[in-house]
Amino acid sequence: MTAGSIIVTPASPSPVVVVEGLSRRYGSVTALDDVGFEVPAGARVALLGANGAGKSTLLATLCTLAPPRVGRVTIAGHDVARAGGEVRRRIGVLAHQPMVYEDLTSLENLRFFARLYGLLDANARIEELLRAVGLWRRRDEPARVLSRGYHQRLAMARALVHQPSVLLLDEPETGLDTDALTLLDDLMLRAAGITVLAATHRRDRVDDWSTGVLVLERGRIIEDSVSPPTPAAPRALAGAHA
Amino acid sequence: MTATWAILEKDLRLLWRQRTGWVSAGAFAAMTVITFSFAFDLATADVRPLLPGVLWVTFLFAGVIASSHSFSEEQEQGTFDALLLAPAPRSALYAGKALANLVGLLAIEAFVLVLGSVLFNVPLLVPRLLLVTVVGTVGYVGLATLLSTLGAVRSRAVLLPVLTLPLLVPLLIAAVRATGEALSGAPDGAPWLLLLAVFSFWSAVGAALLFPLVVEQ
């Protein structure tokens, strides 16, 4: 910064998710092309774009399943490629598939995932979550007898069992009825203090819960109402004042 | 370690509830041993020189069926990604899966040894042979778990037998020879068991080290 320059930056919380120069190719297909953005703490971001725009690839990178080879991604200050364990401790993921064991009961599923996250005494948390998603009375039924909607409710509980501070959701509304959509909003999309990045095709619902949008097209960000303004514009302003 | 024990307990619970994969592996093992028992002339021939090969061929293919099933279920239900999303070290996840496969395969092998003892009229439940079986199975399961992960992650389950068999050749040679020594009552301290232990150790350690690379996309 040169002496006398004026940096005009809106007051905003420090970014929790930072993506810089992220690119990814699968053979001749470019899935992500120089993607960059920042998500402030507590923001609820809708990730929009047509099929094949790169939304799922971006989420897979953020959740450490496909660590970046080109570019850099940090979540809560931890590099996704170098400190995957620290990142995973802080994120909850809800995807197309519920990612629960069909032959375990709802209770056993949550107990297993709690132990997997190192939570040794999570009974109260598990009961709270099963009651919240409406599965407490059915806690001893195997997941395979649950309907698609109840599978997704169980998946919500799974994603929240370790109390993540960042939620990464890939089309979370799929297969949910009105009641379950309300649950999704209350527990995840509008939960206080949680940063949310959710890929969705439900543009009609985005205004209900999001604080900003990122629009992807052919692997590039074409609209970003989330990241703070880049320093380029303030510098031009500073030049005008000089 | 918590993650390892959690996966082991979960896999054993699912193994008991689902059973299909392990029952088909056990049925395959039983059919193999029974078929061999009909092929040999038990009345006149000494079958001991042939038994090491019979046993390890049976263990090998039963293990391929069982470990492949273990990961294909995870892949179909999307739960393998859920495991990878846990903050536990990848090697802890590998250890949990490998231990569950080890317990399942040892149970099948115990069944095969009992069945073989009856059908071949040779005492197979002797301490030294049990030791060889356990040591060899540790190395085998170590590699098979890694390669079945590769099959699941890359959605190419057919890769499992193709990749497993060449990599297992040294271990299988040592296992067959050590089993032969155990059956013939060769003196203790025979070199094949030691060699088998070395192969098994490095197979398990090497697979645990390679597992994080295999699961990354």
Side-chain angles (χ1 to χ4, degrees):
Chain A
M1 187 172 69
T2 57
S5 65
I6 302 168
I7 302 296
V8 180
T9 307
S12 63
S14 57
V16 168
V17 179
V18 180
V19 177
E20 297 169 318
L22 178 64
S23 296
R24 192 166 194 93
R25 292 175 66 85
Y26 293 106
S28 60
V29 177
T30 301
L32 295 173
D33 186 6
D34 196 23
V35 168
F37 60 87
E38 292 181 4
V39 178
R44 301 188 295 271
V45 180
L47 186 58
L48 304 172
N51 289 331
K55 302 187 298 296
S56 294
T57 303
L58 177 58
L59 288 176
T61 304
L62 292 176
C63 74
T64 77
L65 287 179
R69 293 172 190 150
V70 178
R72 185 163 183 262
V73 178
T74 61
I75 292 183
H78 298 283
D79 191 306
V80 162
R82 293 178 184 170
E86 289 302 318
V87 171
R88 288 190 289 274
R89 200 179 301 283
R90 289 163 173 79
I91 61 170
V93 178
L94 188 65
H96 295 281
Q97 282 187 298
M99 298 198 290
V100 295
Y101 291 93
E102 298 292 321
D103 287 302
L104 294 184
T105 66
S106 301
L107 189 60
E108 288 169 343
N109 264 294
L110 292 195
R111 278 185 181 156
F112 167 67
F113 285 108
R115 285 183 70 194
L116 203 57
Y117 279 83
L119 310 174
L120 297 178
D121 186 18
N123 288 339
R125 173 73 179 158
I126 289 169
E127 181 177 345
E128 176 193 13
L129 283 169
L130 284 175
R131 287 189 188 280
V133 299
L135 276 168
W136 178 248
R137 290 172 66 181
R138 303 182 68 182
R139 62 188 180 278
D140 293 324
E141 294 179 21
R144 70 182 135 77
V145 306
L146 300 176
S147 66
R148 162 74 190 168
Y150 274 91
H151 264 98
Q152 204 65 358
R153 289 172 183 232
L154 179 56
M156 283 185 225
R158 173 193 52 72
L160 291 168
V161 75
H162 58 293
Q163 297 183 291
S165 58
V166 177
L167 286 175
L168 303 171
L169 317 177
D170 195 357
E171 297 181 32
E173 294 105 341
T174 308
L176 297 185
D177 60 17
T178 311
D179 288 346
L181 280 174
T182 306
L183 264 180
L184 177 71
D185 288 349
D186 294 345
L187 292 177
M188 300 186 126
L189 293 176
R190 286 199 294 241
I194 296 182
T195 306
V196 179
L197 189 59
T200 181
H201 287 294
R202 295 286 303 271
R203 282 175 180 264
D204 58 311
R205 297 187 72 251
V206 165
D207 288 341
D208 294 344
W209 59 265
S210 74
T211 57
V213 297
L214 288 168
V215 183
L216 273 169
E217 184 178 282
R218 293 178 190 168
R220 296 185 70 90
I221 299 275
I222 59 166
E223 185 183 335
D224 178 354
S225 67
V226 181
S227 305
T230 58
R235 279 202 189 97
L237 188 62
H241 280 268
Chain B
M1 285 303 286
T2 308
T4 300
W5 293 120
I7 292 172
L8 173 62
E9 185 187 316
K10 180 266 299 175
D11 271 11
L12 292 180
R13 196 186 297 266
L14 289 175
L15 187 154
W16 177 249
R17 288 193 187 158
Q18 294 171 337
R19 289 191 281 270
T20 47
W22 292 92
V23 166
S24 49
F28 168 83
M31 290 304 297
T32 306
V33 174
I34 291 169
T35 305
F36 275 117
S37 75
F38 282 113
F40 300 148
D41 184 356
L42 296 175
T44 58
D46 180 10
V47 297
R48 284 171 191 265
L50 302 172
L51 278 182
V54 171
L55 292 175
W56 281 99
V57 163
T58 306
F59 297 161
L60 177 71
F61 287 106
V64 167
I65 293 170
S67 60
S68 170
H69 179 82
S70 156
F71 273 96
S72 63
E73 284 284 315
E74 297 267 13
Q75 191 65 7
E76 280 170 24
Q77 297 177 10
T79 45
F80 192 61
D81 281 347
L83 294 183
L84 296 179
L85 287 170
R90 305 298 201 209
S91 53
L93 305 182
Y94 166 82
K97 295 299 290 182
L99 281 172
N101 284 340
L102 180 66
V103 171
L105 189 54
L106 284 176
I108 290 176
E109 290 173 349
F111 167 64
V112 166
L113 290 177
V114 171
L115 189 64
S117 299
V118 174
L119 291 174
F120 299 118
N121 197 27
V122 174
L124 296 176
L125 294 168
V126 293
R128 193 164 160 199
L129 183 55
L130 293 176
L131 178 65
V132 169
T133 303
V134 171
V135 171
T137 305
V138 167
Y140 170 52
V141 164
L143 274 176
T145 302
L146 177 73
L147 295 171
S148 56
T149 310
L150 184 63
V153 170
R154 307 293 179 212
S155 301
R156 299 277 190 279
V158 70
L159 280 176
L160 179 59
V162 176
L163 290 173
T164 306
L165 300 183
L167 287 174
L168 286 172
V169 165
L171 189 134
L172 280 176
I173 292 172
V176 167
R177 297 301 295 264
T179 302
E181 286 177 349
L183 285 172
S184 65
D188 287 342
W192 286 108
L193 178 57
L194 185 62
L195 193 59
L196 179 64
V198 171
F199 274 135
S200 288
F201 176 77
W202 284 114
S203 296
V205 171
L209 293 175
L210 286 172
F211 185 79
L213 301 177
V214 167
V215 296
E216 282 192 1
Q217 293 179 24

